[in-house]
């Protein structure tokens, strides 16, 4: 596993590098001392595994997870000196966490879990998606990343970049300005996760981001046609028309 070590303490990075040097199938491909450098190296090096410290000046570990490039999704193991941060991250969906000082035995157990997850990209992406929701208390309960699939690849998509979710029989499409992705969850589950955000159910088969609505045209006294920023059109059902008018303040 190609591994990136992210920690603002040089001694901590040195210890991890030496311990990883004893593991035959792990190669340390780089180090980063802050969140900004970590994001640059993740994008450039595309590591399989990131050992990520949570407490760093500037961008912390949760911030790094929230800003991960959508096409570079490593397995993430949280590294922290604080029990409460580790437990919080683990409950949110972290693969594993390491408490400082890190023992070789505990590190090996975390690496074994990383090996298993590396072959399951959907689970890895969804784990990162859950972690991105707890960047700070103000984001609690709001989804910050959504997992989408194209072929065999999985992506973490920013919620603001999503125009709509559209169900077609058993499939749910994530609509962005550039392309569509397959969702990994049902529309009803996504609707529940997006409660309190800018997404509005306009039909039993569609959720739209009201920030991307560019035109609202009446089809009848209780039916509307929404045009989104990419030109795509959605019909609002009679059942949802009142809620949509209220949310758009029309």
């Amino acid at each position: 596993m190609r591994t990136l070590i992210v920690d603002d303490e040089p001694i901590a990075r040195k210890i991890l590098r030496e311990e990883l040097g004893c593991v035959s199938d792990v190669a340390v491909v780089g180090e980063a001392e802050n969140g900004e450098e970590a994001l640059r190296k993740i994008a450039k090096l595309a590591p399989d595994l990131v050992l990520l410290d949570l407490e760093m000046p500037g961008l912390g570990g949760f911030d790094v997870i929230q800003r991960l490039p959508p096409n570079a999704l490593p397995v993430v193991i949280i590294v922290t000196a604080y029990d409460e941060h580790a437990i919080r991250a683990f409950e949110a969906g972290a693969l594993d966490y390491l408490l400082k000082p890190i023992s070789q035995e505990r590190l090996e157990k975390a690496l074994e879990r990383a090996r298993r997850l590396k072959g399951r990209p959907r689970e890895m992406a969804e784990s990162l998606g859950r972690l991105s929701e707890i960047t700070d208390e103000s984001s609690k309960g709001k989804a910050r990343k959504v997992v989408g699939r194209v072929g065999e690849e999985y992506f973490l998509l920013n919620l603001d970049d999503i125009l709509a979710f559209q169900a077609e029989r058993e499939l749910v499409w994530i609509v962005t300005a550039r392309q569509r992705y397959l969702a990994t969850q049902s529309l009803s589950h996504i609707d529940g996760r997006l409660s309190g955000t800018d997404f509005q159910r306009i039909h039993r088969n569609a959720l739209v981001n009201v920030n991307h609505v560019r035109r609202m045209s009446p089809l009848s006294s209780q039916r509307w046609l929404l045009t989104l920023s990419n030109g795509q059109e959605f019909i609002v059902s009679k059942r949802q028309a009142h809620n949509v008018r209220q949310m758009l303040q029309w």
Side-chain angles (χ1 to χ4, degrees), residues 98-113:
L98 297 171
L99 285 175
K100 300 176 182 179
I102 300 166
S103 70
Q104 184 73 32
E105 181 182 2
R106 185 68 185 84
L107 176 62
E108 289 175 355
K109 287 182 178 178
L111 291 174
E112 181 56 37
R113 294 190 69 183

Side-chain angles (χ1 to χ4, degrees), residues 55-76:
E55 300 83 31
M56 296 182 290
L59 291 182
F62 287 132
D63 299 308
V64 170
I65 292 168
Q66 192 179 43
R67 292 167 172 79
L68 282 173
N71 58 344
L73 302 183
V75 176
V76 173

Side-chain angles (χ1 to χ4, degrees), residues 198 200 210-211 213 216 224 226 241-250:
D198 292 319
Q200 175 65 44
V210 297
N211 294 322
V213 175
M216 189 170 178
W224 296 83
L226 298 186
H242 176 69
N243 293 335
V244 171
R245 283 198 303 270
Q246 278 192 327
M247 194 162 200
L248 294 173
Q249 298 179 348
W250 283 28

Side-chain angles (χ1 to χ4, degrees), residues 4-17:
L4 177 69
I5 300 171
V6 182
D7 200 304
D8 63 321
E9 300 177 0
I11 293 177
R13 297 198 304 272
K14 180 176 183 293
I15 291 173
L16 270 175
R17 186 172 63 250

Side-chain angles (χ1 to χ4, degrees), residues 23-66:
V23 183
S24 60
D25 66 339
V26 173
V28 177
V29 295
E31 298 180 14
E33 62 180 3
N34 56 59
E36 291 86 353
E37 185 181 10
L39 288 170
R40 289 195 298 271
K41 291 197 173 181
I42 289 171
K44 180 180 179 181
L45 301 173
D48 302 312
L49 172 66
V50 175
L51 297 177
L52 180 64
D53 186 26
L54 288 184
E55 300 83 31
M56 296 182 290
L59 291 182
F62 287 132
D63 299 308
V64 170
I65 292 168
Q66 192 179 43

Side-chain angles (χ1 to χ4, degrees), residues 152-166:
E152 298 302 316
E153 293 187 308
Y154 289 82
F155 300 82
L156 277 186
L157 307 173
N158 290 322
L159 199 60
D160 292 341
D161 295 333
I162 296 173
L163 280 63
F165 295 88
Q166 185 175 23

